[in-house]
């Protein structure tokens, strides 16, 4: 105790060694080093929620009125989905044969025959009009749609009018293009059998 407060030790108290002072104030300090490593983690936690993946709601339907029951069922399921104000990828199989084949494959893989309408949420088959109606009445459909992206039910795409397809820009819907190198017309390879392509403004 006397040595700490005596005159013989004052040079060491007044003038600490430079290398000791430097080590105490630089990034070599253990707590400061830990703080520097934690900063990037804090920044990552503050990133916006835009990275969250919303479950896709895909609705296979038809606009043809040939079978009245089918058309009525499609309209009923569409009305139910709109009441939940969720974004729906609605695919009209009557406008693109590839969509019909796609749905046939999805149903066949699950041991089911082809029928319309069909609803998928997050890649999971919910079912047709009867299944959707039962789930809705039981309050289960709301739970399945939780986390889906929202959308105003009154929204109508200005590019396609809500039909999800537009005339092919390469052939103007004619399904034929002129090949200058060969000097004749050829089948357009950009559109479907109806001269249509998916709308790039509203289709995912």
């Amino acid at each position: 105790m006397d040595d700490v407060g005596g005159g013989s030790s004052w040079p060491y108290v007044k003038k600490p060694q430079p290398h000791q002072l430097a080590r105490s104030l630089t990034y070599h300090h253990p707590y400061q080093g830990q703080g520097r490593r934690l900063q990037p983690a804090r920044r990552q936690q503050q990133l916006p929620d835009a990275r969250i993946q919303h479950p896709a709601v895909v609705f296979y339907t038809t606009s043809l009125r040939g079978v009245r029951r089918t058309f009525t069922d499609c309209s009923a399921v569409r009305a139910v989905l709109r009441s939940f104000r969720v974004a729906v990828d609605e695919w009209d199989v009557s406008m693109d044969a590839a969509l019909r084949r796609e749905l046939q494959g999805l149903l066949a893989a699950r041991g089911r025959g082809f029928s319309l309408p069909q609803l998928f949420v997050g890649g999971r088959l919910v079912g047709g009009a009867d299944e959707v109606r039962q789930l809705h009445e039981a309050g289960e459909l709301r739970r399945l749609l939780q986390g889906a992206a929202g959308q105003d039910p009154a929204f109508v795409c200005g590019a396609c009018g809500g039909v999800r397809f537009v005339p092919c820009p390469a052939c103007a819907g004619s399904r034929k293009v002129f090949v200058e190198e060969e000097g004749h017309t050829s089948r357009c390879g950009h559109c479907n059998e109806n001269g249509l392509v998916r709308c790039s403004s509203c289709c995912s």
Side-chain angles (χ1 to χ4, degrees):
M1 294 293 292
D2 294 336
D3 291 341
V4 174
S8 61
S9 60
W10 69 264
Y12 300 97
V13 175
K14 287 290 186 176
K15 298 181 180 180
Q17 295 181 3
H19 71 276
Q20 293 178 347
L21 179 62
R23 289 180 61 85
S24 65
L25 296 180
T26 61
Y27 64 89
H28 295 291
H29 194 285
Y31 296 102
Q32 291 182 354
Q34 292 176 3
R36 292 172 66 89
R37 287 194 295 269
L38 287 175
Q39 288 176 358
R42 295 193 189 101
R43 287 196 294 268
Q44 289 179 358
Q45 292 174 358
Q46 295 172 359
L47 289 175
D49 293 335
R51 300 175 301 168
I52 298 176
Q53 295 295 322
H54 300 284
V57 181
V58 181
F59 177 45
Y60 290 89
T61 181
T62 181
S63 57
L64 297 180
R65 299 171 182 250
V67 181
R68 184 174 181 179
R69 172 64 184 276
T70 300
F71 181 79
T72 301
D73 286 345
C74 291
S75 299
V77 173
R78 183 183 300 107
V80 170
L81 293 175
R82 286 183 176 177
S83 69
F84 288 101
R85 306 178 71 88
V86 296
V88 179
D89 283 334
E90 184 172 330
W91 296 120
D92 188 344
V93 301
S94 66
M95 301 188 71
D96 192 343
L99 289 175
R100 185 181 183 90
R101 293 191 296 269
E102 177 181 281
L103 179 59
Q104 287 175 332
L106 292 172
L107 294 175
R110 293 165 172 80
R112 302 185 59 165
F114 181 84
S115 64
L116 289 170
Q118 293 294 331
L119 177 65
F120 290 78
V121 178
R124 172 188 173 187
L125 174 62
V126 177
D130 292 337
E131 290 89 346
V132 172
R133 186 180 301 110
Q134 293 172 4
L135 290 171
H136 182 42
E137 292 174 352
E140 289 296 313
L141 185 59
R142 179 180 298 276
R143 180 182 61 81
L144 292 176
L145 294 175
Q146 285 182 350
Q151 186 179 71
D152 185 349
F155 168 77
V156 177
C157 176
C160 66
V163 298
R164 304 286 178 147
F165 288 92
V166 295
C168 176
C171 66
S174 66
R175 300 173 57 199
K176 296 180 180 180
V177 292
F178 182 76
V179 184
E180 296 182 1
E181 294 80 1
E182 301 178 3
H184 63 81
T185 58
S186 178
R187 170 72 169 86
C188 179
H190 300 282
C191 56
N192 63 15
E193 70 280 2
N194 295 315
L196 302 173
V197 295
R198 296 186 181 188
C199 177
S200 59
S201 298
C202 64
C203 294
S204 59

